[in-house]
């Protein structure tokens, strides 16, 4: 079983430019989920995906001419493992001097290798340059919380800030103030957060203060979103809830976890934001 101290994250790494699937480093999701009260992987309290964009994807064609693309990778929330982000970057870079017959061959290799690492089937899209113009920036729909002025005194996750009334509501709320830190390197991770729910009305100022309380928290992207989801379910008891974070890129990769009480079609995931 992999342990994080064996991961390449936060260590000097020699970049291989020849295809090497052995560079992928899998981390079991159970390690993070146990701490937020999720034990039985067969009965997850949510659906969703971790959607990655790989902006530095390149290989050689059979004539040795470099090819480029943008990769979009969908990891189901039900997968046994996540793939550690630096290991994915190293793996993708291992294609840089690898000759491939076509983008279809690259897609097949990604599907097979990421399936083996994550423990489940992965959705892989390869966007070629002739389709780059189709990639549009968008912003999440909803009421922006960031103009509110709550008093802030917590910079570690503080679910007690979450309160609600008995008034029913159905609304989408947005904040660009989510920040957490990598648990290995301490580097900051920045994100925009969308919370779409129906049920007892969540107090907006308390929710914003709760989002800000992650500012000094050390946690992986996926774990932060799942913690937010679980805290909202426990404290505010919505009938419907979707939590989606759009993290800014690091090392040519961005990670966008989404968790929902309802089955969440991969195709419904929102596009890139301005900060990405």
């Amino acid at each position: 079983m992999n342990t994080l101290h064996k991961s390449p994250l936060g260590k000097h790494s020699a970049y291989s430019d020849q295809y090497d699937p052995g560079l992928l480093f899998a981390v079991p999701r159970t390690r993070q989920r146990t701490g937020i009260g999720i034990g039985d992987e067969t009965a997850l309290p949510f659906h969703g995906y971790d959607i990655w964009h790989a902006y530095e994807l390149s290989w050689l064609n059979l004539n040795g001419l470099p090819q480029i693309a943008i990769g979009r990778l969908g990891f189901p929330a039900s997968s046994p493992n996540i793939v550690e982000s630096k290991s994915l970057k190293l793996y993708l870079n291992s294609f840089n001097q690898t000759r491939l017959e076509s983008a279809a061959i690259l897609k097949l290799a990604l599907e097979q290798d990421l399936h083996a690492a994550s423990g489940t089937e992965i959705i892989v899209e390869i966007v070629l340059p002739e389709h780059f113009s189709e990639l549009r920036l968008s912003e999440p729909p909803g009421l922006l919380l960031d103009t509110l002025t709550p008093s802030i005194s917590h910079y570690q996750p503080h679910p007690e800030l979450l309160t609600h009334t008995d008034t029913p509501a159905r609304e989408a709320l947005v904040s660009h103030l989510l920040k957490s830190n990598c648990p290995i390197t301490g580097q900051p991770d920045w994100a925009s957060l969308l919370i779409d729910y129906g049920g007892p009305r969540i107090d907006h100022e308390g929710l914003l203060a709760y989002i800000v309380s992650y500012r000094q928290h050390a946690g992986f992207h996926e774990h932060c979103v799942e913690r937010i989801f679980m805290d909202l379910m426990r404290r505010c008891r919505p009938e419907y809830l979707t939590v989606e974070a759009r993290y800014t890129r690091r090392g040519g990769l961005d990670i966008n976890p989404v968790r929902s009480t309802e089955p969440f079609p991969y195709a419904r995931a929102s596009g890139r934001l301005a900060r990405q």
Side-chain angles (χ1 to χ4, degrees):
M1 180 178 293
N2 283 340
T3 56
L4 284 175
H5 77 273
K6 297 178 181 177
S7 157
L9 191 61
K11 301 173 184 175
H12 175 75
S13 300
Y15 281 75
S16 171
D17 59 9
Q18 292 294 324
Y19 171 59
D20 183 1
L23 293 168
L24 291 168
F25 187 89
V27 179
R29 291 188 188 268
T30 52
R31 296 176 184 170
Q32 303 293 325
R33 288 176 172 171
T34 300
I36 55 174
I38 303 174
D40 187 354
E41 293 296 309
T42 63
L44 290 175
F46 45 65
H47 308 270
Y49 282 91
D50 304 327
I51 300 169
W52 299 54
H53 294 106
Y55 300 101
E56 301 174 2
L57 187 59
S58 185
W59 67 101
L60 304 180
N61 68 13
L62 295 185
N63 292 329
L65 182 68
Q67 309 292 293
I68 65 165
I70 295 173
R72 197 164 190 255
L73 314 173
F75 294 82
S78 58
S79 66
N81 306 317
I82 63 172
V83 176
E84 188 274 313
S85 60
K86 184 175 180 181
S87 79
L88 181 60
K89 177 179 175 61
L90 293 171
Y91 163 73
L92 294 177
N93 279 332
S94 78
F95 286 96
N96 288 351
Q97 290 297 116
T98 301
R99 297 191 181 215
L100 299 174
E101 183 178 353
S102 65
I105 299 298
L106 172 65
K107 181 176 183 292
L108 180 61
L110 294 174
E111 289 172 340
Q112 292 176 341
D113 297 340
L114 295 175
H115 181 180
S118 67
T120 195
E121 291 187 8
I122 302 302
I123 297 172
V124 175
E125 298 176 72
I126 306 294
V127 183
L128 297 173
E130 54 264 36
H131 298 292
F132 284 178
S133 62
E134 300 170 14
L135 301 177
R136 305 292 184 181
L137 295 180
S138 63
E139 290 303 312
L143 176 66
L144 183 65
L145 299 176
D146 301 347
T147 58
L148 301 175
T149 57
S151 177
I152 304 296
S153 57
H154 296 281
Y155 296 104
Q156 291 288 348
H158 198 72
E160 291 77 11
L161 293 165
L162 296 170
T163 62
H164 65 87
T165 68
D166 292 332
T167 304
R170 179 69 173 87
E171 58 184 354
L173 306 172
V174 176
S175 174
H176 300 296
L177 301 185
L178 179 61
K179 173 194 170 288
S180 54
N181 298 317
C182 172
I184 307 299
T185 66
Q187 293 185 51
D189 295 319
W190 310 90
S192 297
L193 187 69
L194 171 64
I195 294 172
D196 187 6
Y197 79 97
R201 187 180 187 277
I202 298 173
D203 177 73
H204 290 180
E205 287 203 356
L207 175 58
L208 181 59
Y210 168 76
I211 293 168
V212 173
S213 75
Y214 279 75
R215 195 166 179 84
Q216 293 182 329
H217 174 65
F220 291 117
H221 303 62
E222 302 90 343
H223 182 224
C224 289
V225 170
E226 292 182 358
R227 179 185 287 268
I228 292 169
F229 180 95
M230 295 300 293
D231 284 348
L232 284 167
M233 289 299 296
R234 290 168 177 150
R235 298 285 302 179
C236 301
R237 302 195 179 279
E239 299 167 8
Y240 160 81
L241 175 65
T242 296
V243 177
E244 180 176 2
R246 307 308 304 267
Y247 279 87
T248 59
R249 73 180 77 173
R250 185 195 295 168
L253 298 169
D254 67 36
I255 307 173
N256 309 280
V258 55
R259 301 292 183 267
S260 180
T261 53
E262 303 299 320
F264 194 92
Y266 169 80
R268 195 180 122 193
S270 60
R272 291 168 53 198
L273 307 188
R275 298 170 73 198
Q276 298 180 299

